[in-house]
Amino acid sequence: MGNKVKRDFTKLLDINKKECLRLIERAQKLKELKKQGIEYRPLKGKYLAMIFEKASTRTRISFEIGIKDLGGSAVVLNKGDTQLGRGEPIEDTARVVSRYVDAIMIRTFGQQIVERLAAWSTVPVINGLTDEFHPCQILSDLFTIKEIKKDFKDLKIAYIGDGNNVANSWIEASILFGLNLSIATPEGYEPLANLVEMAKENKNFQLLKDPFEAAKDADVINTDVWVSMGQEEEQKERREAFKSYRIDDELLAVAKKDAIVLHCLPAHRGEEITEGVFERFSSIIFTQAENRLHVQKALLEWLILGWNE
Ligand code: CP
Ligand code: NVA
């Protein structure tokens, strides 16, 4: 890397449009290599630390397999494994971990924790989900849409449900690419206000209350759980607030005939999506999950080694 300034991926807007497209292109290439069984080990001798303060299936597996596929190794630190839980400051943890590894992935609560980690680390920091953002997921979703629909720029993308981390990262994608994005959330569950303001400069962005208006003529319909990690105590009131924000056949009927449904998983059938709709789109949804592996490999390769310009 020489004297190159390190880059982080704490949110989608940490990268520009050109870099995002290049990562997607690279993910496509790495996916092809893997499918052909061709070994590619540019990260031999490199290490990734993965810090988890919340549960995970996809993020955990795809990052660990991803770094290993590229020839490197991972150290997994689960909640309670480190001195962080006993009060060691994030600033010290950042400087210590940076002395051992070449990149850090963290899944935690507040976005500020990731930002402080990035500010004090001398190695790249990747956000594996915070309360506010889930940028690796949206990178994978953009890649998946591009694979299936060839491009995402001229499509109508709808997001129905909670204005959570996934919704916020979708808004960032809309800001980055000027995407035609319609989000429908119940009152009181809107995405981050400052992002909504920024996105509104793009005439293609809409924040709505009516899920049918958001889904109308959509090419892609996205949803996510109604109760995110850390909100378990709000379960009852959330189920009530979101009950008309379910992806079902009635909602799909107003979308384009060839619309696809995406879900970052885990899914709660009977809540944000019906069993029937989920199963109908399950092969796309599981490809979306698989694609986390390929985009994150592209991300690790870029953040650790940089690109040959
Ligand atoms: N979509 C996603 O991030 O899944 P996990 O919580 O299983 O990592
Ligand atoms: N919004 C969900 C996403 C899970 C991948 C959560 O934060 O729990």
Side-chain angles (χ1 to χ4, degrees), residues 48-202:
L48 171 71
M50 299 163 60
I51 305 173
F52 285 100
E53 300 202 289
K54 289 178 178 169
S56 166
T57 297
R58 282 144 287 270
T59 305
R60 160 75 208 260
I61 301 174
S62 54
F63 267 108
E64 186 163 350
I65 300 292
I67 186 95
K68 287 184 176 165
D69 257 359
L70 294 170
S73 314
V75 179
V76 183
L77 303 162
N78 288 313
K79 195 176 170 68
D81 283 355
T82 67
Q83 299 283 6
L84 264 176
R86 294 182 60 248
E88 184 166 19
I90 197 88
E91 291 76 4
D92 293 356
T93 306
R95 285 176 284 180
V96 170
V97 178
S98 295
R99 297 287 180 110
Y100 299 127
V101 303
D102 302 280
I104 306 170
M105 191 288 309
I106 181 166
R107 167 168 286 198
T108 186
F109 292 88
Q111 179 68 14
Q112 280 208 345
I113 299 171
V114 177
E115 283 168 12
R116 279 164 58 205
L117 187 68
W120 287 89
S121 295
T122 54
V123 298
V125 169
I126 300 170
N127 178 351
L129 179 146
T130 56
D131 292 345
E132 289 89 346
F133 294 107
H134 198 1
C136 294
Q137 183 64 54
I138 278 32
L139 206 53
S140 178
D141 299 354
L142 290 169
F143 172 37
T144 308
I145 295 171
K146 204 160 194 289
E147 272 191 316
I148 298 169
K149 298 274 188 190
K150 308 296 169 226
D151 206 347
F152 41 78
K153 285 182 229 143
D154 296 319
L155 302 180
K156 176 173 177 184
I157 300 173
Y159 174 96
I160 316 285
D162 190 16
N164 60 14
N165 38 18
V166 170
N168 289 328
S169 288
W170 263 113
I171 299 179
E172 288 203 303
S174 168
I175 294 168
L176 202 57
F177 291 103
L179 292 184
N180 181 344
L181 176 68
S182 293
I183 296 192
T185 63
E187 197 167 340
Y189 294 96
E190 292 87 358
L192 289 173
N194 63 327
L195 276 181
V196 170
E197 276 320 300
M198 267 170 87
K200 275 186 177 160
E201 288 175 21
N202 154 19

Side-chain angles (χ1 to χ4, degrees), residues 13-24:
L13 289 175
D14 282 354
I15 62 174
N16 63 34
K17 189 168 146 179
K18 201 170 140 208
E19 289 164 340
C20 190
L21 288 172
R22 189 154 173 189
L23 284 171
I24 291 171

